[in-house]
Amino acid sequence: LLQVPPRKTFAAAREETEQVIIGALKNLFENTKVNPKDIGILVVNSSMFNPTPSLSAMVVNTFKLRSNVRSFNLGGMGCSAGVIAIDLAKDLLHVHKNTYALVVSTENITYNIYAGDNRSMMVSNCLFRVGGAAILLSNKPRDRRRSKYELVHTVRTHTGADDKSFRCVQQGDDENGKTGVSLSKDITDVAGRTVKKNIATLGPLILPLSEKLLFFVTFMAKKLFKDKVKHYYVPDFKLAVDHFCIHAGGRAVIDVLEKNLGLAPIDVEASRSTLHRFGNTSSSSIWYELAYIEAKG
């Protein structure tokens, strides 16, 4: 993990990823006192590095999970895959009762480090490296008392039908045939619009009635008077949310969301600190932030 320049080989990427995943899972099993053979559902997500056998198969092999474990390996889904994996695990737990679901979110760009001259493809080298986290979910009634949290809502918004959204992060070859990931200048705008749509869905589920009414009144006024009402009312989400884990995608992304949601610097401190210390750890960044919030009490 400390070699500079990094070994840009498949073997190095596999070794690093196994260190991260196995290390996180050993800590998880030790802290929760859960036997790996009790895991009924396994979801592993890694966007860029997807070897064969899969990372989920590696987990099954290393920890000798039982043969009827429901195993899933998600790839190519970017930084949002950690929440997508949780959503998938939640849906499976609704169907399969009295079991544990294990979610592992990781990323590693060692094998995909860009070695060309295209500036838009160089950005990912500066932001990403390696990281990972493991999360245990349970629907066992006896675990309610010892669980840290209760999962209440998961909301997903997919804007991939829009060409700007679809092409804002894209893997491909440059003019010299070197493979890399191109980050479009539209990415902050796309992220802002997508989060707005997502929050419009989430808001009615968590906001107090007073905020819902204020938003509804301005929404109807804008529909009726259009030009006279320039902006919708932005609900005060701090009335419903104590802590925010905004994906540490980059300084500009955090700035946009801080402004659009009317947050204070302390509300985005976990995101900024995670980005400063670890960089963009992709799908696992929100778990790094949650750990930061827990550590600060």
Side-chain angles (χ1 to χ4, degrees):
L1 292 175
L2 299 177
Q3 288 185 318
V4 180
R7 287 184 295 145
K8 190 178 177 292
T9 64
F10 199 89
R14 184 191 289 275
E15 181 185 339
E16 288 177 348
T17 303
E18 288 180 355
Q19 284 181 25
V20 169
I21 292 177
I22 293 171
L25 287 175
K26 281 183 176 177
N27 285 337
L28 182 143
F29 290 132
E30 184 179 333
N31 291 335
T32 60
K33 309 302 180 191
V34 169
N35 188 324
K37 291 192 180 296
D38 292 334
I39 301 298
I41 298 163
L42 171 66
V43 184
V44 179
N45 70 266
S46 175
S47 188
M48 296 295 294
F49 183 61
N50 284 288
T52 301
S54 67
L55 296 177
S56 59
M58 182 271 288
V59 172
V60 172
N61 178 260
T62 302
F63 293 94
K64 308 305 176 190
L65 303 190
R66 64 196 199 209
S67 60
N68 65 343
V69 65
R70 293 163 180 87
S71 175
F72 301 86
N73 200 86
L74 308 181
M77 303 188 83
C79 300
S80 63
V83 180
I84 292 170
I86 292 290
D87 188 56
L88 173 59
K90 180 201 73 172
D91 288 346
L92 290 166
L93 284 170
H94 278 308
V95 177
H96 305 285
K97 303 300 181 184
N98 202 38
T99 191
Y100 288 113
L102 181 61
V103 174
V104 181
S105 292
T106 188
E107 190 56 88
N108 186 315
I109 70 158
T110 295
Y111 188 63
N112 293 282
I113 288 175
Y114 176 65
D117 301 321
N118 186 312
R119 287 191 176 187
S120 68
M121 290 182 168
M122 289 179 185
V123 176
S124 60
N125 291 351
C126 304
L127 285 175
F128 299 99
R129 185 64 180 87
V130 62
I135 306 93
L136 184 69
L137 296 92
S138 171
N139 59 11
K140 295 174 181 280
R142 69 170 182 267
D143 285 329
R144 176 175 288 275
R145 294 179 65 184
R146 75 184 189 115
S147 294
K148 273 188 177 183
Y149 307 103
E150 179 183 4
L151 180 60
V152 180
H153 301 294
T154 56
V155 173
R156 288 178 60 183
T157 303
H158 203 307
T159 58
D162 172 65
D163 285 344
K164 267 191 177 180
S165 296
F166 180 68
R167 301 186 189 285
C168 68
V169 181
Q170 198 155 30
Q171 186 177 22
D173 297 329
D174 66 10
E175 54 277 7
N176 297 315
K178 292 184 177 179
T179 303
V181 176
S182 175
L183 302 181
S184 162
K185 291 180 180 178
D186 297 323
I187 192 167
T188 52
D189 179 52
V190 165
R193 285 190 289 108
T194 304
V195 168
K196 275 185 179 178
K197 283 187 177 182
N198 203 55
I199 282 178
T201 308
L202 177 66
L205 298 173
I206 64 171
L207 286 170
L209 184 60
S210 58
E211 292 298 294
K212 292 180 189 178
L213 286 172
L214 283 169
F215 177 79
F216 179 73
V217 168
T218 58
F219 178 81
M220 293 306 297
K222 189 165 175 60
K223 285 281 186 185
L224 294 171
F225 302 107
K226 292 183 181 179
D227 296 334
K228 293 182 179 179
V229 180
K230 292 185 178 180
H231 303 288
Y232 292 121
Y233 171 71
V234 178
D236 185 356
F237 278 87
K238 287 186 279 188
L239 295 176
V241 180
D242 292 323
H243 304 289
F244 294 83
C245 291
I246 296 169
H247 167 56
R251 190 179 68 183
V253 173
I254 298 171
D255 288 345
V256 166
L257 295 177
E258 180 182 10
K259 180 182 177 182
N260 288 351
L261 295 178
L263 303 179
I266 194 170
D267 295 320
V268 294
E269 181 183 315
S271 300
R272 293 198 191 282
S273 298
T274 298
L275 180 65
H276 173 74
R277 184 173 179 187
F278 301 105
N280 184 340
T281 56
S282 192
S283 61
S284 62
S285 74
I286 53 172
W287 306 112
Y288 282 63
E289 291 161 27
L290 187 58
Y292 179 91
I293 290 170
E294 288 180 345
K296 292 209 69 173

